[in-house]
Amino acid sequence: MTIELQILGSLLRALADEMGAVLVRSAFSANIKERRDCSTALFDERGRMVAQAEHIPVHLGAMPDAVAAVIAHEPQLGQVWAVNDPYTGGTHLPDITLVSRTKAGFAVTRAHHADVGGREPGSMPADSHTLEEEGVVIPPTLLTDDVIAQLVARMRNPDERRGDLRAQLAANRIAEQRVAELCERRGHDRVVAAMDELYAYSERAMRAGIARLPDGRYEAADVLEAIDSELELHVTVTITGDAVAIDFAGTSLQHDGNLNCPLSVARSACFYVVRVLVDPEVPASGGAFAPVTVTAPVGSLVNARAPAAVAAGNVETSSRIVDVVMSAFGKAIDVPAQGQGTMNNVTLGNGRFTYYETIGGGQGACPDADGPSGVHVAMSNTLSTPVEALELQYPLRVERYGLRRGSGGAGRHHGGDGVFRELRVLEDCRLSIISERRTHAPRGERGGSPGAAGRNLLNGEPLPAKVTLDLAAGDVVTIETPGGGGWGS
């Protein structure tokens, strides 16, 4: 890699980081400005990702499908397009993606909005059956002031929704400005050539890493805890030379709940695993994913078809995909023990407010180190909402928040501990919890013990892993998150 390419690559990555900073600092909702549940990236003129900020893995791997959906509408300079349709490049409905043209490609922002309509505050019902129940579906749409007004009118807290959309717009606009400046300073053709080489360099580096893995066919299976049944994920990982094929044949069919996900989400989870195991230092561009092929039967849980509900697929099914693909690779190389395997989604709201958070837990131990405690792992990578910010902005009080000591699995290296988080609601509202690993605990690796399973409680009484119900002022919701598995006996 030449010095000039390194400089241009650093400039492009810094630009993606600046987009993220603008989005976070301009946002209205705690979900974006505090938890940083958002992602930013730059794409070339062919719709290939060339630079991304290190944000949310499940967002970033799915972004190319959203960009491709917008490119089909021939977007022009100055235009910004919005999309959240999971079957047209989205993930789940709260994740709204904005795509705009730059002088050398496209700028993309994706943010999880605290509400996008639907039948439940926060747009994350635990028991939805169709996409329509989960909120406003946005196919690729040219975003204008009138369109923004029409969209937020169908969502709760429209002023906050408008503010978060404008924060995304600001991030897209700063990208357009910076790319134009870069093209003027360095020359358009040179910037485009640098994008091409960054993509190619990442692909070469990833292929070299894959080539060091043992060829073979490796299988694994795991389950998801649906409301009234268990759903199986089955994966076959085939390593051949410098390429990896990941196939989900044998996975359960899409179901009448919301653990379904589009193939773009399954790809994101697979790309994350390969990058972590092969070479986490490879520059974060689409080239790093080029050697990885992901297939799944149409109409299966991980390649669902409309109008299947998907609210939990993006958060919980993606987490289990990471676990099962990691387990398959574990037949060939050493891998970490399973982490908490859930995002512990909690949504609270009524007609006046909506609040959404994910809660960290224990990460699995590695072959050479204990697992970290109380972190957002794998597909999440967000922060926790600070207690002060939560209590200042919402009618909620944090009664307790701390590490769940001893919940990590034992072993030569211990799994990380989960956390407990106890929230008292100060006015009547609705609660939705979407969680996993309440029945099946995170597994240890190479003889290590499993971590503790998670628990959900209302006023001290057990709640299911997935539930939507009414709360009265004074009720206390407690989430105890899973610990990570241990590694080695």
Side-chain angles (χ1 to χ4, degrees), residues 22-44:
V22 168
L23 174 51
V24 167
R25 294 180 182 183
S26 305
F28 279 42
S29 68
N31 194 51
I32 301 173
K33 71 181 179 183
E34 302 289 354
R35 289 187 57 251
R36 302 188 183 185
D37 195 343
C38 59
S39 299
T40 56
L42 293 173
F43 286 67
D44 67 11

Side-chain angles (χ1 to χ4, degrees), residues 50 56 78 111 140 166 240 281 314 330 349:
V50 293
I56 314 297
R166 286 179 173 171
T240 308
E281 301 304 318
N314 183 58

Side-chain angles (χ1 to χ4, degrees), residues 266-288:
R267 285 197 195 103
S268 291
C270 294
F271 293 160
Y272 165 83
V273 172
V274 175
R275 187 176 177 218
V276 164
L277 293 179
V278 173
D279 189 350
E281 301 304 318
V282 169
S285 87

Side-chain angles (χ1 to χ4, degrees), residues 236-429:
T236 301
V237 172
T238 304
I239 304 171
T240 308
D242 63 356
V244 173
I246 300 174
D247 181 58
F248 287 93
T251 291
S252 295
L253 297 176
Q254 66 185 61
H255 74 130
D256 187 31
N258 61 20
L259 282 162
N260 310 293
C261 68
L263 187 60
S264 59
V265 169
R267 285 197 195 103
S268 291
C270 294
F271 293 160
Y272 165 83
V273 172
V274 175
R275 187 176 177 218
V276 164
L277 293 179
V278 173
D279 189 350
E281 301 304 318
V282 169
S285 87
F289 310 142
V292 183
T293 303
V294 180
T295 55
V298 174
S300 67
L301 195 66
V302 298
N303 189 8
R305 286 293 175 260
V310 297
N314 183 58
V315 287
E316 298 304 287
T317 305
S318 69
S319 299
R320 189 63 66 257
I321 291 170
V322 168
D323 287 344
V324 73
V325 174
M326 194 78 78
S327 293
F329 272 99
K331 308 289 177 61
I333 59 174
D334 282 343
V335 300
Q338 289 183 344
Q340 68 165 345
T342 176
M343 296 192 196
N344 305 294
N345 305 268
V346 177
T347 310
L348 295 155
N350 53 30
R352 193 182 71 81
F353 82 98
T354 54
Y355 175 72
Y356 169 73
E357 70 175 7
T358 59
I359 305 174
Q363 177 63 294
C366 295
D368 57 354
D370 293 343
S373 300
V375 294
H376 289 78
V377 296
M379 301 309 288
S380 177
N381 197 39
T382 57
L383 301 178
S384 296
T385 307
V387 173
E388 298 84 355
L390 185 156
E391 295 184 342
L392 180 66
Q393 191 168 350
Y394 303 98
L396 305 169
R397 187 165 67 224
V398 180
E399 298 285 337
R400 295 191 310 140
Y401 182 38
L403 288 178
R404 191 182 173 202
R405 299 289 185 185
S407 56
R412 189 188 317 159
H413 297 290
H414 282 257
D417 287 333
V419 305
F420 56 83
R421 190 163 172 92
E422 196 168 273
L423 302 173
R424 184 182 298 275
V425 300
L426 304 182
E427 62 185 55
D428 295 354
C429 61

